[in-house]
Amino acid sequence: GESVGLHLPTLSVQEGDNSIINCAYSNSASDYFIWYKQESGKGPQFIIDIRSNMDKRQGQRVTVLLNKTVKHLSLQIAATQPGDSAVYFCAESSFNKFYFGSGTKLNVKP
Amino acid sequence: NAGVTQTPKFRVLKTGQSMTLLCAQDMNHEYMYWYRQDPGMGLRLIHYSVGEGTTAKGEVPDGYNVSRLKKQNFLLGLESAAPSQTSVYFCASSPLAGGQETQYFGPGTRLLVL
């Protein structure tokens, strides 16, 4: 999975399957976490966020899980669709600064 | 409501030339940021602003200057472009202190320095 500062891994899934993208963060003081989707040639787009006082948050087809004990964040996409193909990256926030992971490329096979 | 816009979308410069990238937001956000994105790397913060008339250095400020004369605009300047500044530049804005509210990104400016 992805880690803030590492190179770009790739995840390939079949259309209709669930996708899980992982992210490890390093700063224990981080109190706010965000997942972004970035399509080719476009700016990052907000997907879902979670604050450090929560361990799970659900949106439409997406769920973010936060495990502060091991400093791990994951994004689950249900029933993955071709339109979900993009680079996904996490961001952590500490003291008004954001730190971004390099991203995971999601390929959805029809 | 256009959100965050960036001008230009693409630019080619020769080493030593100067240019200014313009970011504009119409959401009345206090915070604005400039990032660069390089292949295989996460977004890196260049400079940011917590309000009109204020600027601060980020992670990679060298070779760049910024100005926030109006709340809705945040300018990024390159005084003497270098090939190492070839990158995609993203502007973002946020309504509150960045720690508790997401940032909204512009579409990016692709800069090639020859």
Side-chain angles (χ1 to χ4, degrees):
Chain A
E2 169 193 353
S3 178
V4 177
L6 292 184
H7 55 272
L8 193 70
T10 301
L11 174 66
S12 293
V13 299
Q14 205 69 39
E15 181 180 357
D17 288 351
N18 297 334
S19 301
I20 299 176
I21 300 172
N22 298 304
C23 174
Y25 65 94
S26 58
N27 189 349
S28 300
S30 293
D31 54 5
Y32 179 57
F33 305 86
I34 310 168
W35 278 101
Y36 290 95
K37 174 185 180 181
Q38 187 175 21
E39 295 174 283
S40 181
K42 297 184 178 180
Q45 179 186 1
F46 170 85
I47 301 174
I48 192 168
D49 59 2
I50 188 167
R51 288 170 171 72
S52 59
N53 60 352
M54 304 171 67
D55 53 21
K56 180 179 180 179
R57 190 160 189 229
Q58 287 183 296
Q60 187 175 13
R61 283 201 308 118
V62 294
T63 300
V64 55
L65 299 177
L66 175 63
N67 185 330
K68 294 182 287 294
T69 302
V70 295
K71 296 200 282 287
H72 184 268
L73 193 69
S74 69
L75 175 70
Q76 300 177 1
I77 304 174
T80 313
Q81 302 169 0
D84 295 328
S85 291
V87 173
Y88 291 81
F89 56 90
C90 64
E92 58 177 308
S93 178
S94 174
F95 300 107
N96 299 334
K97 297 279 185 65
F98 284 88
Y99 302 92
F100 296 84
S102 55
T104 295
K105 186 175 182 180
L106 177 64
N107 288 327
V108 182
K109 296 176 287 186
Chain B
N1 190 333
V4 180
T5 58
Q6 293 182 230
T7 308
K9 288 184 171 56
F10 177 69
R11 183 76 183 267
V12 178
L13 288 179
K14 293 181 180 179
T15 296
Q17 287 185 318
S18 63
M19 77 163 295
T20 300
L21 283 66
L22 170 64
C23 176
Q25 53 96 3
D26 60 3
M27 298 174 283
N28 201 35
H29 286 174
E30 289 294 335
Y31 286 67
M32 296 188 74
Y33 309 79
W34 274 108
Y35 293 92
R36 60 178 288 171
Q37 186 177 45
D38 299 296
M41 299 183 69
L43 292 163
R44 291 185 293 168
L45 182 64
I46 305 171
H47 286 280
Y48 65 101
S49 168
V50 301
E52 181 180 322
T54 73
T55 63
K57 293 181 179 180
E59 182 185 355
V60 288
D62 294 342
Y64 306 94
N65 56 74
V66 289
S67 64
R68 184 100 181 267
L69 299 180
K70 294 183 179 180
K71 186 177 183 179
Q72 64 268 34
N73 295 336
F74 195 28
L75 306 180
L76 177 69
L78 285 73
E79 291 186 350
S80 180
S84 61
Q85 294 178 303
T86 292
S87 188
V88 181
Y89 292 86
F90 287 101
C91 175
S93 71
S94 176
L96 300 173
Q100 291 297 319
E101 184 69 38
T102 189
Q103 298 178 337
Y104 298 84
F105 285 86
T109 294
R110 296 180 181 276
L111 176 65
L112 174 61
V113 183
L114 302 176

